[in-house]
Amino acid sequence: MPLGPLAGTHPAAVLARRLGDDASRRAPLLLGAFVSALCGVLSVLRYRRFADTSWDLGIFTEAVRNYARLQAPVSDIKGLGFNLLGDHFSPILVTAVPAYWIYPSAASLLVVQAMLIGISAVPVCRAAIGILGTRKGLAVGLAYGISWGIQQAVDNTFHEVIFAVPLIALSMESLLRERWKAAALWSLPLVLVKEDLGMTVAAVGAYLLLRRRFRLGLALIAYGALSIALTLLVLIPAMNPNGRYDYWNKLGDGGAGAELSSLVTGAEIKLGTLFAVFAITGLLALRSPLCVVAVPTLFWRFTSTDTDYWGTVWHYSAVLMPVVFVALLDAVVAARRSRRAWMRSYARNIVPAVLGISLTYTLAGNLPLKDLLDSPAYETGPRGRSARQALAEVPDGVTVETNTTLMSHLTGRCDVFWVGNTQGLTPDYVALDLLNGWSRPVTDPLGYVGGLHPGARYTLVSDTGGYAVLKHLT
């Protein structure tokens, strides 16, 4: 069945006609710039007030810092001399190096992430304008840019998977416009983002099979499958200190039956996530076969034994957002030809509903963009000022053991280790958030560090505002 809004008319023709004027061409770029600005301002403000939620930003900053030195992407936070390519296969991180050269700080990665999100909004908005017109297209683009999956990625500082989001968006737009080769080409670099995304490449191939593009579809499926086998069985083990892929234990316990039965575990959480993924489009995206591209990500997450993958809290749903929003556009086109009057009416009125859903998620849920409406988001606060004082006690170029709060602020100028994981190395400094930071509260900094490094002598340099800095006495 053709995907166009009228018999014999395909989306590619509609897009070409609607994007013929300069205003329609500029609008997606302006929307992308606005989304980038929103995400960038939010991320940098959170960074400045020490609101990091995990150690990942520090890990990736260390890797990019070493790439910038033309060295292997080692992150001592993960372990002494640990090559990140032996953890997840993400060589695409090297593309963040120019930003790091300009501004050697973890903040540069946050700006890169914001730019990638904005870039991903351009093809989504462009496709929406082609099908719905400029105003409605911009509304869909904004709904995508502030969708909960994108915001959760921003909320969790930085992850390599953000590089996949614009690639998937561009591939999905090409599928919608029936530019088959372009769709395939945009999907190819996904295997350089993370090892599981070879399955997404194969899913693009599966969609091409549905559209009777057999040769190209089979080639993509083979490419995706071979890339997964190569990275999991050869490349990652070759660079992993233990000679293996460390995440096998997070998969099912073996056999297709075990994988399927594991879907039932935590069914309430998984169904909630599934609903949230498609509810962002008013559930209309479910009418599009383009949703097949989302299946691999949902499958590996829901069959995993790691409960963090099941819900909506972390960054794992970011790659699903361009899929469901482009599928929404395809479904709108198909619904215009429905025999059911209520379906045609629903499709005509879906745009304000979709934008309303994204805004409601933002304002009623615990999503980070809401912070921009509150004055504390623009203030460092007493804790932030104390953190800055603690950082000032740590000189450049030293080895530092620390926990989450101060970590990413040190990785641009020091060799940083996760607290309790220096693997025999005695660091020059220990800088601790005594109240939180993914480690238990500490009331006796000297005694705590003495337990970490028996026999080593440390002196307390500062202890104020819930932060302590200790120096190794040689």
Side-chain angles (χ1 to χ4, degrees):
M1 183 174 67
L3 295 176
L6 301 172
T9 304
H10 294 274
V14 179
L15 285 163
R17 183 171 68 249
R18 289 282 178 82
L19 293 177
D21 60 279
D22 291 339
S24 294
R25 285 196 296 268
R26 287 195 302 267
L29 298 176
L30 293 173
L31 187 280
F34 177 71
V35 169
S36 285
L38 271 183
C39 295
V41 168
L42 174 67
S43 295
V44 171
L45 286 174
R46 288 163 66 88
Y47 180 74
R48 286 176 57 84
R49 69 175 191 269
F50 297 86
D52 291 2
T53 56
S54 75
W55 65 349
D56 295 287
L57 180 58
I59 289 172
F60 289 115
T61 303
E62 282 195 328
V64 173
R65 181 188 183 194
N66 281 307
Y67 272 136
R69 296 171 171 174
L70 305 182
Q71 298 173 355
V74 167
S75 175
D76 288 328
I77 295 171
K78 286 283 290 184
L80 184 61
F82 191 98
N83 187 333
L84 275 194
L85 292 175
D87 185 48
H88 292 300
F89 190 71
S90 305
I92 203 166
L93 271 174
V94 75
T95 61
V97 165
Y100 190 85
W101 280 336
I102 294 170
Y103 188 68
S105 163
S108 64
L109 270 66
L110 299 177
V111 173
V112 167
Q113 176 170 262
M115 291 175 63
L116 290 169
I117 291 171
I119 291 169
S120 76
V122 172
V124 174
C125 184
R126 186 165 56 206
I129 288 174
I131 289 174
L132 302 169
T134 302
R135 290 184 181 179
K136 289 185 176 181
L138 283 170
V140 170
L142 179 59
Y144 164 80
I146 65 170
S147 59
W148 65 264
I150 296 297
Q151 289 198 57
Q152 289 291 8
V154 174
D155 191 40
N156 290 285
T157 59
F158 179 90
H159 292 87
E160 75 279 80
V161 76
I162 204 65
F163 287 93
V165 178
L167 292 171
I168 293 174
L170 287 160
S171 184
M172 293 298 296
E173 182 202 21
S174 298
L175 290 176
L176 184 69
R177 300 181 69 173
E178 299 184 349
R179 294 180 175 179
W180 311 124
K181 290 183 180 179
L185 289 173
W186 283 120
S187 72
L188 295 182
L190 288 172
V191 302
L192 304 178
V193 177
K194 202 175 177 187
E195 59 277 4
D196 65 276
L197 288 167
M199 293 188 291
T200 299
V201 177
V204 173
Y207 179 78
L208 291 174
L209 292 184
L210 292 175
R211 298 306 308 272
R212 299 182 180 276
R213 304 290 162 169
F214 297 114
R215 183 177 299 179
L216 189 56
L218 289 172
L220 274 188
I221 291 171
Y223 172 80
L226 287 173
S227 71
I228 292 171
L230 181 64
T231 53
L232 294 186
L233 301 178
V234 180
L235 297 178
I236 291 178
M239 290 174 278
N240 184 282
N242 299 311
R244 65 171 187 263
Y245 179 56
D246 286 337
Y247 298 92
W248 287 123
N249 62 343
K250 294 190 177 185
L251 304 178
D253 293 329
E259 294 289 341
L260 292 174
S261 65
S262 66
L263 285 170
V264 180
T265 306
E268 184 177 348
I269 299 173
K270 294 171 183 176
L271 287 173
T273 298
L274 197 63
F275 178 77
V277 166
F278 292 101
I280 199 76
T281 67
L283 301 180
L284 191 58
L286 286 168
R287 286 178 55 88
S288 170
L290 283 168
C291 287
V292 71
V293 180
V295 170
T297 296
L298 291 169
F299 181 77
W300 76 253
R301 286 174 59 186
F302 291 169
T303 56
S304 172
T305 57
D306 190 333
T307 58
D308 284 340
Y309 297 152
W310 300 350
T312 60
V313 175
W314 294 92
H315 56 284
Y316 305 110
S317 296
V319 296
L320 299 175
M321 296 297 104
V323 177
V324 296
F325 271 88
V326 175
L328 165 67
L329 299 174
D330 185 28
V332 166
V333 171
R336 289 171 178 171
R337 306 176 62 197
S338 174
R339 296 177 182 177
R340 301 176 179 86
W342 68 266
M343 178 56 68
R344 296 194 301 272
S345 176
Y346 186 59
R348 282 195 302 270
N349 296 286
I350 193 64
V351 172
V354 167
L355 181 57
I357 292 168
S358 281
L359 289 171
T360 300
Y361 265 116
T362 300
L363 298 176
N366 190 27
L367 292 179
L369 280 175
K370 185 173 64 174
D371 292 352
L372 294 179
L373 302 176
D374 298 327
S375 57
Y378 303 88
E379 302 170 358
T380 302
R383 282 273 290 163
R385 289 191 289 272
S386 296
R388 292 192 187 284
Q389 292 173 15
L391 291 173
E393 301 289 354
V394 181
D396 294 349
V398 298
T399 54
V400 188
E401 184 177 9
T402 187
N403 49 7
T404 302
T405 310
L406 301 176
M407 181 175 289
S408 63
H409 296 264
L410 290 164
T411 48
R413 61 186 181 89
C414 300
D415 189 5
V416 180
F417 295 82
W418 172 247
V419 63
N421 190 35
T422 62
Q423 298 178 341
L425 180 143
T426 302
D428 300 320
Y429 283 80
V430 178
L432 297 172
D433 180 346
L434 303 176
L435 304 180
N436 47 47
W438 277 23
S439 58
R440 61 181 176 84
V442 177
T443 56
D444 177 14
L446 276 172
Y448 179 70
V449 173
L452 294 175
H453 303 283
R457 295 174 57 238
Y458 280 86
T459 184
L460 189 64
V461 177
S462 67
D463 182 0
T464 181
Y467 296 93
V469 177
L470 300 93
K471 180 181 179 180
H472 181 223
L473 300 175
T474 55

